[in-house]
Amino acid sequence: MEHIVFYRKTRGLGDAIMMIGAMDDICRQVEERSGPPHVSVCLQEKLLPVFWNHPRAPRLIPLGQRVPMGPGIRFCDFSTACARYEAGAEPHIARGRPEIWVRSCGFNYEGSPPRIHLDDVERTSAQAYRRSISQGGPVIGVGYKSIEAWRDYPHMDELVHQLSKIAGG
């Protein structure tokens, strides 16, 4: 059984969520070749809950703890590939982060969507919350501020205003 360690030094929830699809692309290709891999995910501790109920049942390792290394362990470091690609392609960036990560690890990008797997309690709570805010129309979630200030969209107020018109607000 192949062991894959997915490592990302990030502070952002969005990057942690995007890792899920990239991880699924890589694991599916390994599984087709040699059977289901053993999976470890190493992230900041506060971001690990994103992977709690994932069907691949990854071992979750907080950054700073010992990460498995050595023969037979594939180390997929998602920390630097995007910066290298974006610095070389700017301003014509044609690939998203999951594609960059998957390709940087030597796999084909299949575009698996990130799926967060909720348990029954979380699902019930999320459904109740959505009902409480939907008012019968669509719900549009907006990540208003990035953890990295340079990524903040300068016209966010106008964008949210226009989106609220679409949602009927």
Side-chain angles (χ1 to χ4, degrees):
M1 174 182 293
E2 190 167 340
H3 185 168
I4 307 172
V5 175
F6 294 95
Y7 178 88
R8 175 85 170 119
K9 201 173 195 176
T10 185
R11 298 176 304 171
L13 177 61
D15 276 5
I17 292 170
M18 287 188 291
M19 281 180 66
I20 297 169
M23 180 182 81
D24 286 341
D25 271 4
I26 291 170
C27 287
R28 189 172 22 266
Q29 291 172 58
V30 168
E31 191 169 324
E32 288 171 1
R33 216 176 37 235
S34 59
H38 176 76
V39 176
S40 296
V41 174
C42 183
L43 278 172
Q44 276 199 10
E45 190 165 9
K46 70 178 183 177
L47 300 174
L48 290 173
V50 167
F51 293 89
W52 275 354
N53 299 305
H54 195 281
R56 295 193 187 281
R59 175 179 170 211
L60 304 177
I61 305 168
L63 277 177
Q65 287 192 11
R66 187 182 162 116
V67 176
M69 300 291 277
I73 297 176
R74 180 185 295 267
F75 189 75
C76 291
D77 185 351
F78 290 174
S79 295
T80 59
C82 289
R84 285 193 314 268
Y85 169 78
E86 291 165 357
E90 197 173 26
H92 305 289
I93 296 172
R95 295 180 181 159
R97 290 182 167 227
E99 180 177 2
I100 296 165
W101 293 329
V102 170
R103 289 177 185 266
S104 75
C105 294
F107 290 89
N108 296 320
Y109 176 65
E110 298 173 351
S112 296
R115 297 190 194 287
I116 297 175
H117 300 273
L118 305 176
D119 63 26
D120 291 339
V121 172
E122 292 166 329
R123 191 174 359 275
T124 300
S125 176
Q127 288 167 342
Y129 177 72
R130 182 156 190 244
R131 279 192 302 274
S132 77
I133 64 170
S134 75
Q135 302 172 0
V139 175
I140 301 172
V142 177
Y144 203 83
K145 292 281 186 187
S146 172
I147 199 157
E148 303 290 348
W150 62 270
R151 291 184 182 157
D152 290 344
Y153 182 59
H155 309 289
M156 188 59 82
D157 290 335
E158 179 60 22
L159 175 63
V160 169
H161 178 72
Q162 293 300 322
L163 287 171
S164 70
K165 289 179 182 179
I166 293 169

